[in-house]
Structures are given as structure tokens and as C-alpha cells.
Amino acid sequence: MLTRRLAVAGALALGLSLPLALPAAAQEAAKKIPVVASFSILGDFVKEVGGDRVSVTTLVGPNGDAHVFQPAPADAKKVASAQIVFVNGLGFEGWIDRLVKASGTKAEIVVATKGITPREMADEDEDDHAAQGHKDHDHDHAKKGEHDHDHGGTDPHAWQSVANAEIYVANIRDALIAADPAGKAAYEANASAYTAKLEALDAQVKAAMAAIPESRRRIITSHDAFGYFGAAYGVEFIAPQGVSTESEASAKDVARIIRQIKAENIPAVFMENISDPRLVKRIAKETQAKIGGELFSDALSDDKGPASTYIDMMKNNITQLSSALSS
Ligand code: ZN
């Protein structure tokens, strides 16, 4: 910034017209579209599609938990100066409306999950839960407001299915073209190159999960972040904590899961990068299940970690699952 100001001052002193005097890179930087992404995984998608025309800032950073995020004044400033704010939607960012309002931003708010079929989570205190399995009783709960705790509601973790990630990318592409029509060709090219990588990734995830014996594709995680992954790739995830980390798992939920692990011989429990590992470690200790490692659920790792991009995150997760579950 300082260098640029000096360059500008120099240009004025010499009486040169500004665009000629600025180095090409500085001109590009000056023109970048400021956008905000609510969390790191979404920020990675926006960077892929936006390329060098867009400057991306994320609110909830690496290893951060968006469910319980508390925006600071600095976040309101980021939102205030953005031209587009990309959010996941589906109830993931319970704090976003207040933040947008407080910031006074004129930014377009773009919901990146538009067009995705949301998973509606059933309340898990059903008598027939163990018999029917996790996935089959969603449709019993069409009516809202009958849930007595946080297990019900919409599952926001749509990015855990790679096919859904492709929908995020299309939505991001369309929003960027609308905001910056001159970049249409660039955004289309970036989106299509990245979508090709996602399609290859999707095939890789499918193949990795199909290689695990079906009876062993059952996992415990601390919060219910992998419903879309499970539905897309044929793995059952069971979690004491529900689809948000906001409320703690009840003693009843933990006891039920411990019984279930023992009765059904569930092979492994996994920690998550955004969650306190103590609950999962306790469950492992009280059962025969082994700790399978750490899955990245709601956030990327930092640059040095194994999951600093979405693609690396998914590859890391399937490596962890495969090595723990293949006997
Ligand atoms: Zn989550």
C-alpha cells in the first residue's frame, strides 16, 4: 500500500496521468473486486472461481467453528467494504443477518447453496431409531416446531458432497458475472476448470468408499456434519451432537451412542478439526471403537495443514476413513 501511494505521489509530481504511471500489478490490485466469504471452505471456492479478478476475505478462518462464531467489529468492516458477501445459508451462519445489518453494507448477499436439496434432520429421540437407521426417518418430520432439542432442523453441511460443491461453484460464477460482466469469460473458464477437478474428486471419493466393506462403513463423529457425505457415498455417520455445535450432547445421547457402538460393532470414532476431541475420546474409551483420526468438517486447515483447500480436505478425509475402516 505504501509503495503504491509513493508511486501515485510520484506520478502526480511528474504530471503523468495516473494509469500510465502505476505499475501493471498495482492497477490490477486496484481493480480487484472485494468479496467476503463467510467461512474458509466457501472462501476457497470463491478464490477458485474469482481467480485474480477478485480479492477474497473470509470471516470464519481455518479450523474455525462457524456455528458459534461471534463477529468482531473488524468483521463488520470487512462486510462493509465488500461488493459481494457469499454465505452458505441453510442456517449455518446464524449471526450473518445481524452482522450485515450492523455493517451497513450495500453488498449483494449471495447464498451459495441455492438449488441444493437440503437434508432435513429428524429429531433423534425416536423409538424406532436403531431399527430403522439414520437415513430413513427424515420424512416423518415434515412439520416444523415439534423438535424439543437441536437435533432437528436443516443440515447446513452441503459442501460435504462434491456434487453439491459443483452447485456452489455455479452459483459463485453467476454472482461474479452479475457483479463484473467484463470478467464473464474468465469466471466461466475458472469455474469450468475447477468443476472438472471436482468431478474427478467425486469419482475418487466414490471409489475410495466403495472399496470399504459395507458393514464397516459406519462412523461416529462429534457433531452431525457428514450427512451429505454419507448420503452421497454410502457411509453412515452417527453423532451425539446434532447438526450444530451450539448445544452440548446430552448424557442421554451419549449413552445411546455408546450402546449402539457396542451392539452394532461400529469400528471407529473420529475427531473433527473444529470440535473439542474430549467427547469422542471418552466414547472410544468406553467402547471397543478405535479413534480413526481427524476429519475436517466445517473448516479448512491452515496453509501448513493437510486440508488447506477443499480438494485436499476431501482427499484427507477419505484417506483417514479408508485407513481406519478397511480391515
Ligand atoms: Zn457443523
Side-chain angles (χ1 to χ4, degrees):
M1 245 3 207
L2 185 61
T3 336
R4 206 182 115 213
R5 253 185 236 137
L6 289 174
V8 171
L12 291 175
L14 290 168
L16 294 173
S17 72
L18 213 52
L20 283 175
L22 279 172
Q27 285 186 44
E28 272 310 304
K31 280 193 296 190
K32 284 193 183 190
I33 299 182
V35 305
V36 161
S38 59
F39 70 118
S40 54
I41 294 167
L42 184 55
D44 184 46
F45 294 152
V46 178
K47 282 179 198 160
E48 287 287 348
V49 181
D52 50 19
R53 297 185 71 88
V54 167
S55 151
V56 185
T57 307
T58 59
L59 299 176
V60 183
N63 299 313
D65 182 349
H67 296 291
V68 296
F69 180 65
Q70 293 183 322
D75 298 306
K77 279 190 192 147
K78 291 175 188 169
V79 169
S81 54
Q83 197 172 327
I84 308 174
V85 175
F86 288 100
V87 301
N88 185 76
L90 305 177
F92 189 49
E93 305 98 338
W95 38 268
I96 193 74
D97 290 347
R98 273 214 323 252
L99 177 61
V100 164
K101 203 169 170 210
S103 75
T105 189
K106 303 223 163 26
E108 182 89 12
I109 312 299
V110 174
V111 177
T113 53
K114 198 182 86 185
I116 282 170
T117 307
R119 287 174 53 81
E120 298 299 332
M121 300 303 293
D123 187 314
E124 304 210 346
D125 283 347
E126 293 287 312
D127 293 332
D128 58 358
H129 178 260
Q132 288 217 340
H134 202 65
K135 293 167 201 151
D136 294 315
H137 58 167
D138 288 3
H139 42 84
D140 295 331
H141 288 264
K143 278 179 281 172
K144 291 244 159 98
E146 62 183 54
H147 307 303
D148 57 359
H149 62 94
D150 281 346
H151 283 197
T154 303
D155 181 352
H157 307 90
W159 61 86
Q160 287 289 348
S161 144
V162 183
N164 283 346
E166 293 174 26
I167 299 176
Y168 281 75
V169 166
N171 287 330
I172 292 163
R173 177 200 61 205
D174 294 347
L176 289 175
I177 291 173
D180 175 26
K184 184 169 188 279
Y187 299 133
E188 284 175 346
N190 293 345
S192 120
Y194 187 55
T195 299
K197 288 185 192 170
L198 292 177
E199 277 166 9
L201 176 68
D202 193 43
Q204 195 182 344
V205 179
K206 279 183 182 140
M209 293 306 104
I212 300 168
E214 205 173 339
S215 63
R216 292 184 61 82
R217 282 186 234 148
R218 313 183 75 202
I219 297 124
I220 309 290
T221 56
S222 47
H223 93 294
D224 216 340
F226 295 94
Y228 292 89
F229 185 104
Y233 306 112
V235 181
E236 186 180 0
F237 289 83
I238 301 149
Q241 217 182 354
V243 293
S244 176
T245 57
E246 277 176 299
S247 60
E248 300 210 346
S250 70
K252 191 177 157 195
D253 289 330
V254 175
R256 174 175 54 77
I257 279 182
I258 287 173
R259 279 199 309 275
Q260 197 179 352
I261 293 171
K262 288 176 174 168
E264 302 174 27
N265 211 11
I266 292 172
V269 299
F270 284 84
M271 295 175 289
E272 288 170 50
N273 67 317
I274 65 151
S275 293
D276 185 338
R278 281 176 298 185
L279 173 60
V280 157
K281 284 183 173 167
R282 197 185 115 207
I283 290 172
K285 206 172 159 191
E286 292 187 34
T287 62
Q288 294 301 309
K290 66 176 162 183
I291 295 179
E294 186 180 68
L295 298 177
F296 288 80
S297 50
D298 295 17
L300 300 175
S301 69
D302 63 21
D303 285 346
K304 293 185 190 113
S308 64
T309 66
Y310 174 75
I311 288 177
D312 283 348
M313 174 184 101
M314 296 305 284
K315 286 183 178 172
N316 172 82
N317 287 354
I318 60 173
T319 304
Q320 300 283 330
L321 292 170
S322 299
S323 68
L325 301 178
S326 305
S327 45

